[in-house]
Every structure is written in structure tokens, then in C-alpha cells.
Amino acid sequence: MKIIEGSASKKISNDLSKVLNVSVVKLERKRFPDGELYVRLMDDVSDEDVIIVQTTFPDEKIIELFLLMDAVKEAKANSITVVAPYFGYARQDQKFKDGEPISARAIAKLISLNTDFFVTVDPHKEYILDFFDCEAKSCSAVSAIAEHLKTKDVDMILAPDKGALNRAKKAASIIGCDFDYMEKTRIDGETVEIKPKNLDAKNKNVAIVDDIISTGGTMAKSIQQLKKNGANKVFAACTHGLFAKNAVEKLKSNGCDEIISTDTIENDFSIVKTATVMKKILSNQSL
Ligand code: R5P
């Protein structure tokens, strides 16, 4: 087995090579004068089971993934597993308005062309795995996030909406603390409304746990409610930290004490590692 490190997922690739005890393939990667990407495998992968690790965000990383997949196929690997720690476009998982694409399906179909097995972490909705024509599985980073939160003296986990309730319940059971949820309505891509709610948060340290922080709007509204209800420290924790636009500033200015995300998207807050949660699914896979 060999690992190919996509440029969006260098740290996870390295961690996975350690936990799976497999080597990372050397790559040449450069840009043509017009900006197009060039990749070349510098090690032999013929007859190998190859794992390509690449978060499909931002868009240019999707192109890189397709080039890597094609190079591996050309090199006559035995099998190709694509690990997309964060599967971008997953939230456009249906047509919300006439004329729209189902973007998650469009990307999934293209990945499936050269892939035997697809793995991702905490997809926004599990059913997007059905869009793949190859075998596709997900694993959850909630336990890794909860283990990290255990060091923070957290009294309560809050789900910012009902969709995140199971995640909050699981984290709370690992930590051994209470949990609650908010009721959110999404107005548009950048605006959410959260119903005022009395939360038993007075003097408590609360961690809000969600799958994604994008604009930070969902977290910011939840933090406001917690502060109104007298919360002490507030942690904003997520699997995928996109931090679009001024999200970090928004969280901090609303009173967030600490931002925590996993390494599915590498950034300043990605301190929770996910390689071990992927290990089981990858080593059990008989290729
Ligand atoms: C939505 O259902 C997701 O679980 C997240 O709550 C959402 O994607 C976060 O987006 P934003 O940070 O822009 O509010």
C-alpha cells in the first residue's frame, strides 16, 4: 500500500502514513507558464493499493485530485482509494431551486470514474455517499473532538441546530456532561436565524459542536444566545473549519473564547487529528 499526498492534505497524509505504516509517494508538482497544474509520480506504484489523500476544497484541489487519480491509473496501480477528509460541495446535495445542479453528485460521479473506494469524514449528510458509483464510506471525528474537549473543563455541549443533535449527544456522552440544542432557520447562504431559547448555561463552560464552520453565522448566533443565558467560557468546535470571509473575527467579537477544528482542512485552528479515526476504515478495507 502507498499514500499519495494531495497538497490540501499534507499533514493528514503524513499522519496516515504513520498510523498505517505505509510510505508516501514522491511527487513532482509544478505550474505551467499559463498556470495549469503539472503532477508526476516519482515512485513506482504499479500493482500497489494506492490511497490518494486530498480535501476537495478549494476548487483547484479538485483538479489536482483528478490529475493524481489519472496518474495512478496510468501507472497501473492495483486499486485506488480516494480519501477526501473534507468533501467540498457536499452541502449542495439537492436542488433547492429550479435550474440548480446537485453539486455533491456531480463531483462524486467524477471522482467515481477512477476510484475503487472513497472515504470522507463527517459529510454534511450521509446520503451523499450514495452519489458515488464506487464503494463510499464515512467516519466520524466527533469522538476525537470530544477527547480534545475533555481537557477544557466543558460542562455542556450545544448543537446549533437539530441536525447536529446526535453529534452533540455523542460528544456529551464521551465527556460525561449535559447537552442541548438550538432551533435554526437558514435564510440564505450567509444568514441564519436562531430562535431565542432559555438554556441552562449560567456560569457554565459550553462547547458548541457542528460539522462545519463556514461564515461563522451559525456559531455567532448560538454564542449570542449562550452569553444571554449567562454562559462562562464558550468554545466553537467543528470538524471542517472553512472560516470563510471574516468568520474568525465574527466568532471572537461575539465572545468565543476558543475555536477548535480538526485537520480535515488545514488552518490555524486545526488541532484535532483525524488520521486515527480513518485508520480503522482504511485498514479493514480489503482491496
Ligand atoms: C448547516 O447545516 C451546517 O451544519 C453548518 O451549521 C453550517 O454549514 C455552518 O455555516 P455558517 O458557518 O456559514 O453558518
Side-chain angles (χ1 to χ4, degrees), residues 91 124 161 184 186 189 210-218:
R91 284 175 296 170
H124 183 56
D161 55 35
K184 176 177 98 173
R186 180 163 287 285
D210 206 354
D211 58 340
I212 297 171
I213 299 177
S214 179
T215 66
T218 302

Side-chain angles (χ1 to χ4, degrees), residues 142-157 171-172 174-177 205-207 233 235 237 258-260 271-273:
V142 176
S143 52
I145 294 172
E147 289 301 331
H148 182 80
L149 289 173
K150 268 188 181 171
T151 64
K152 303 283 175 188
D153 201 15
V154 167
D155 304 300
M156 181 167 112
I157 299 290
I174 293 170
I175 297 168
C177 68
N205 296 332
V206 183
K233 281 191 179 167
F235 303 92
E258 198 174 327
I259 303 168
I260 296 159
I271 38 178
V272 178
K273 288 178 175 277

